[in-house]
Amino acid sequence: MNRFASVIFVFFLFLTVYGQKSTYYVQFVDKQGTPFSLSKPEDFLSDRAILRRQKFSVPLDSTDLPVSPTYLNGVRQTGALVIYPLKWLNGAVIKATKSQAISVQTLPFVSKIELTKPAETPAFSRQQSPVSPIKPLLFQNAGYGRLQLEQINLIKLHGLGYRGAGIHIAVLDGGFQGLYDMAVFDSLLASGRLLDYYDFVLNKHQFPDYDGSHGSSVMSTMAANSPGLFVGAAPDASFYCFRTENGEVEYPDETDYYCVAVERADSLGVDIITASLGYTTFDVDSMSYTYDMLDGNTTRASKVATMAVQKGIFVLNAAGNDAYNPWHYLSVPSDGIGVMAVGAVDTVNIYAPFSSCGPSADGRVKPEISTCGYGVVVAASDNNLYQSSGTSFATPIAAGMVASLMSAMPNVTPWTLFDNIIRSASNYYSPNDSIGYGIPDAYRVFALYSDVATPQDENSELVVLPDGFSFVNITDNSELAVYDIYGRIVYSGIISNGDKVSLNSAKGMYVLMLKTQNGPKVYKYIYR
């Protein structure tokens, strides 16, 4: 046998051996022997992740410490392959033969080992969401995305310049096929705001330009920026694309890939995690979840999602599309505590009947909110626009709204923002199990809780009068628009320095947008 043939033989022998290994989750008893210290977080967290914790007063704790290298090496000595350590859960994802798994179970620092994907896994075909082409037609600046953004009153916020700039979003999904060739992402790519990517299913640092284009369409509802054609919910935000979903099969190992990606997103310092995926039943029935497990504190993925919230990340997850199916309820990890589960409505605010229902197993309102998930305009890898349906698309629209609000209110904590979004929603006083608290109002959140200039600001040009207001030190012929908390214009006109403006409106909170030669500026005005 020549040398080349020998290499080929060894290569295929390796593939055969590797292919015989099943995937397991290993739980460790503690973190004894870790060389890392909470006093030196820079050894395992990025500067941005540390700053987020400091900004929101999130203390470091033992869950932030990496898994003990001694324990990982002990697992490797059995012949098993350590794929990913999971520091928050103090465990690891491994590949092992049955005999190796038995050896791992006997290690003194291992409390349990769980099969998450058998070696032999037949592929199956998943049902795709229906799509239908839409004809060329221009709708204002937001283009085809106008209705789905208008529904949550986001276009007005975009008009004030708050479109997610400076906010980092991790997108967890399946394949992102064709993204680099899609025209709606030209500005995203040209400005370097696709920060990084990783394929956690294959454990490769490569862009997942395969396994379908679901992730690319999800991205388009946020990051698209083709004015007059299609603009997403956060066109100025920055993104990470993480593949955690295996489109060919459905096994619990994917939930562990979700956990790894969430940890990675945290260490990178992201502000938002949005996942258009969910787990209920698996290809092996004995591995499937049951409804009573959806309490936010039972499954690993839901525990990790909850921990991400506690560490200052705004986490959103699709509720699921199972209302018609025997499962009926929401999916893991949308049951996470503090995770914003997103349901679906159509463009005229009617519940989409496929959208999975709450409550969580412990009685919490789920989904928390609902956005457009029926007849959603998305971009596809063939560079055309389509209408599609599913909470998969409602969720990134909500995530883009959160990013835009964060860019407008950088000092509001994610937990306060979570509560305020719920309070702004259409069904807040009578939540139900189908649309939760209802459809959020981004502009109302901004108007009520924003950090825009007030008359108390030392350098504010706004002067409050007994029966109105005026501006000083502004250029003549400036444009003024006054909005109420619902985003309705109650006054518009041209004003000059010192001109008095009186409102013939109800008393309350108003937002003033003044456009001068020096650019736009926003003020908060309370009409008493």
Side-chain angles (χ1 to χ4, degrees):
M1 183 180 296
N2 62 37
R3 184 175 180 273
F4 177 77
S6 298
V7 170
I8 292 296
F9 174 78
V10 171
F11 176 72
F12 279 103
L13 179 61
F14 169 78
L15 288 182
T16 302
V17 172
Y18 185 85
Q20 291 173 345
K21 293 179 182 289
S22 297
T23 308
Y24 295 87
Y25 172 76
V26 176
Q27 184 67 57
F28 299 122
V29 296
D30 54 38
K31 290 187 175 180
Q32 186 175 351
T34 180
F36 299 97
S37 169
L38 295 178
S39 63
K40 298 186 67 178
E42 62 275 11
D43 290 344
F44 49 88
L45 291 174
S46 68
D47 290 344
R48 189 179 171 94
I50 295 170
L51 287 174
R52 171 168 32 81
R53 284 164 167 76
Q54 293 172 343
K55 180 178 181 180
F56 299 132
S57 301
V58 177
L60 291 166
D61 59 33
S62 62
T63 63
D64 292 304
L65 292 173
V67 174
S68 170
T70 302
Y71 293 172
L72 297 176
N73 288 333
V75 171
R76 293 186 183 101
Q77 288 173 7
T78 68
L81 300 174
V82 176
I83 309 301
Y84 300 110
L86 282 165
K87 63 181 181 181
W88 290 0
L89 297 174
N90 193 28
V93 178
I94 71 167
K95 287 186 179 292
T97 64
K98 187 174 182 179
S99 62
Q100 290 167 349
I102 293 173
S103 297
V104 170
Q105 177 67 79
T106 63
L107 294 172
F109 48 81
V110 171
S111 61
K112 76 169 185 176
I113 182 169
E114 174 190 329
L115 176 66
T116 58
K117 183 184 178 186
E120 299 297 330
T121 54
F124 71 99
S125 177
R126 293 187 180 178
Q127 183 177 359
Q128 299 294 316
S129 299
V131 295
S132 55
I134 53 180
K135 298 177 181 180
L137 183 64
L138 298 184
F139 277 122
Q140 301 180 6
N141 188 54
Y144 288 117
R146 179 179 67 91
L147 292 180
Q148 55 213 45
L149 301 187
E150 213 169 51
Q151 182 181 55
I152 55 176
N153 216 358
L154 188 55
I155 289 180
K156 291 185 177 69
L157 198 62
H158 283 186
L160 298 178
Y162 302 117
R163 308 188 337 151
I167 305 303
H168 292 190
I169 305 174
V171 184
L172 280 56
D173 211 285
F176 293 84
Q177 188 171 335
L179 187 148
Y180 273 90
D181 297 319
M182 294 167 65
V184 296
F185 298 129
D186 283 354
S187 66
L188 171 75
L189 299 173
S191 60
R193 289 182 291 106
L194 179 54
L195 302 176
D196 205 355
Y197 42 79
Y198 200 86
D199 186 335
F200 288 94
V201 178
L202 298 180
N203 194 15
K204 290 184 177 181
H205 188 202
Q206 64 183 25
F207 188 78
D209 192 18
Y210 41 79
D211 197 26
S213 59
H214 184 270
S216 302
S217 293
V218 163
M219 278 282 291
S220 73
T221 65
M222 295 178 285
N225 192 20
S226 296
L229 179 65
F230 184 34
V231 175
D236 292 342
S238 300
F239 296 87
Y240 293 92
C241 293
F242 293 153
R243 179 186 178 228
T244 65
E245 173 77 9
N246 186 345
E248 295 183 348
V249 293
E250 191 84 339
Y251 285 95
D253 65 320
E254 296 175 47
T255 70
D256 290 332
Y257 301 146
Y258 170 90
C259 294
V260 179
V262 168
E263 285 191 5
R264 180 74 61 85
D266 168 63
S267 67
L268 292 167
V270 305
D271 306 291
I272 299 169
I273 294 173
T274 181
S276 292
L277 46 80
Y279 301 96
T280 55
T281 58
F282 297 105
D283 293 356
V284 175
D285 290 341
S286 61
M287 294 180 170
S288 295
Y289 298 142
T290 56
Y291 174 68
D292 62 339
M293 300 171 73
L294 302 186
D295 60 0
N297 198 36
T298 297
T299 67
R300 286 191 294 277
S302 297
K303 285 181 180 179
V304 164
T306 297
M307 294 173 76
V309 171
Q310 294 168 347
K311 294 179 188 296
I313 301 174
F314 200 114
V315 181
L316 303 95
N317 207 94
N321 306 321
D322 284 324
Y324 276 149
N325 298 328
W327 178 267
H328 182 68
Y329 295 105
L330 68 155
S331 58
V332 169
S334 62
D335 63 310
I337 299 169
V339 173
M340 184 163 278
V342 184
V345 294
D346 65 13
T347 55
V348 292
N349 304 343
I350 296 174
Y351 166 66
F354 56 78
S355 184
S356 293
C357 298
S360 63
D362 57 333
R364 286 172 290 123
V365 173
K366 290 284 182 176
E368 276 82 3
I369 63 168
S370 295
T371 62
C372 186
Y374 185 87
V376 186
V377 177
V378 302
S381 57
D382 62 2
N383 253 324
N384 289 316
L385 299 181
Y386 296 90
Q387 286 181 297
S388 192
S389 298
T391 58
S392 284
F393 303 118
T395 305
I397 290 174
M401 174 192 70
V402 173
S404 295
L405 284 167
M406 282 184 170
S407 66
M409 303 180 294
N411 295 321
V412 174
T413 71
W415 313 289
T416 298
L417 183 57
F418 181 98
D419 289 340
N420 293 343
I421 288 171
I422 287 176
R423 290 177 184 274
S424 79
S426 59
N427 217 34
Y428 175 66
Y429 292 103
S430 55
N432 58 41
D433 295 337
S434 55
I435 65 170
Y437 292 101
I439 301 165
D441 187 323
Y443 190 85
R444 190 178 186 192
V445 175
F446 169 74
L448 289 174
Y449 305 103
S450 65
D451 294 329
V452 296
T454 67
Q456 289 71 41
D457 291 336
E458 183 178 347
N459 298 317
S460 175
E461 298 88 355
L462 177 63
V463 177
V464 176
L465 305 173
D467 55 349
F469 59 87
S470 66
F471 289 91
V472 296
N473 301 321
I474 64 171
T475 56
D476 289 342
N477 299 319
S478 297
E479 297 179 27
L480 174 67
V482 181
Y483 299 86
D484 65 14
I485 63 172
Y486 300 101
R488 298 174 298 201
I489 295 180
V490 298
Y491 174 90
S492 64
I494 303 298
I495 66 169
S496 296
N497 193 54
D499 287 354
K500 176 183 173 182
V501 178
S502 297
L503 299 180
N504 296 318
S505 304
K507 294 181 179 180
M509 178 88 70
Y510 292 87
V511 172
L512 318 179
M513 182 173 180
L514 183 69
K515 292 183 179 179
T516 70
Q517 293 177 1
N518 298 322
K521 192 167 184 180
V522 182
Y523 305 82
K524 181 162 56 178
Y525 168 65
I526 299 178
Y527 181 29
R528 304 183 188 279

